[in-house]
Amino acid sequence: MPQQVSHTFRARRALLRYLAPRYQQASSVQKTLLLDSFVEWTGYSRKYAIELLNHGEHDQQTIQRRRSPQYRQEVQQALFLAWKAAHYVCAKRLLPSLPTLVTLLEQHGHLCLTEEERRQLLAMSVSTAERYLRTQRKPRLQGLSTTTPGLLCKSQIPVRTFSNGSRTAPALWKWTWWLIVVSTSMGGFCTP
């Protein structure tokens, strides 16, 4: 079992850059020796070390940098206000009604947008709106109902299901019971 090594990532990559060209041109015996020393020094598994030494850092992915936000804070706040005014509906339903909502919010003085901000807000895609709305907390809607369901009430309300054959009529039970009684008293079995 290899021992724990605490070399920095940069040091391991520097060693990889140094050994990779030598490893690719070495003979089988030399490759084994280089690989053993590389695995011992870095602490990598043998298969991963072989992959790195054969392909180097060319296949390594670069670090992805975050893009600067396309929509300014004012546009995001306008989206949040319209979402709140629409009673927290999903983005898919919010965006078609956004032009009307923005107009009404501006008429009543709740929203003041420049033309550029208004254009950006109305051109926003559903996935972008969902991504922004996901950062906001939907408030808990309490107090919509004042009654609580009771156990007695549940048993008295008939529930109609629309599945075939799951509920049999009482007359069918009587008919089935009568067939069983008659057939067993006659010594035979009931066959439909």
Side-chain angles (χ1 to χ4, degrees):
M1 180 168 175
Q3 52 184 329
Q4 293 293 75
V5 188
S6 63
H7 298 293
T8 64
F9 181 76
R10 287 184 181 172
R12 286 180 279 178
R13 291 300 157 164
L15 179 64
L16 175 64
R17 282 190 296 275
Y18 176 76
L19 286 181
R22 288 167 180 72
Y23 180 82
Q24 291 167 0
Q25 295 176 355
S27 67
S28 297
V29 175
Q30 292 173 337
K31 281 186 177 184
T32 304
L33 292 173
L34 286 173
L35 180 63
D36 289 340
S37 63
F38 184 69
V39 166
E40 183 181 339
W41 198 82
T42 59
Y44 290 150
S45 70
R46 200 166 177 81
K47 287 291 184 182
Y48 182 62
I50 292 170
E51 179 72 23
L52 286 176
L53 288 170
N54 279 331
H55 300 292
E57 289 184 295
H58 302 295
D59 294 339
Q60 299 295 320
Q61 298 224 354
T62 59
I63 298 172
Q64 297 292 322
R65 305 281 182 223
R66 286 190 71 182
R67 292 188 297 169
S68 59
Q70 181 179 357
Y71 300 101
R72 294 190 318 205
Q73 191 67 26
E74 293 82 13
V75 176
Q76 294 176 24
Q77 291 301 320
L79 178 69
F80 299 149
L81 184 65
W83 183 52
K84 184 178 179 182
H87 204 50
Y88 308 103
V89 298
C90 65
K92 190 176 184 180
R93 294 176 189 240
L94 175 66
L95 287 184
S97 62
L98 207 53
T100 310
L101 272 173
V102 169
T103 305
L104 289 173
L105 288 171
E106 285 177 337
Q107 286 176 358
H108 291 282
H110 296 288
L111 190 62
C112 184
L113 294 173
T114 64
E115 280 302 315
E116 177 63 24
E117 292 168 349
R118 183 183 177 89
R119 185 192 61 76
Q120 280 187 341
L121 181 62
L122 297 179
M124 188 179 290
S125 70
V126 174
S127 59
T128 304
E130 283 176 351
R131 192 170 50 251
Y132 283 126
L133 293 177
R134 202 176 305 132
T135 64
Q136 298 298 306
R137 269 204 141 161
K138 192 178 194 180
R140 239 169 183 221
L141 302 175
Q142 294 180 349
L144 294 179
S145 176
T146 58
T147 60
T148 57
L151 295 176
L152 295 174
C153 189
K154 283 184 182 179
S155 64
Q156 294 174 356
I157 299 173
V159 178
R160 178 182 236 179
T161 58
F162 295 99
S163 59
N164 292 334
S166 65
R167 184 169 180 238
T168 57
L172 183 60
W173 280 106
K174 289 179 185 176
W175 175 250
T176 308
W177 179 251
W178 182 80
L179 281 176
I180 292 171
V181 170
V182 169
S183 64
T184 54
S185 65
M186 295 174 66
F189 291 100
C190 177
T191 56

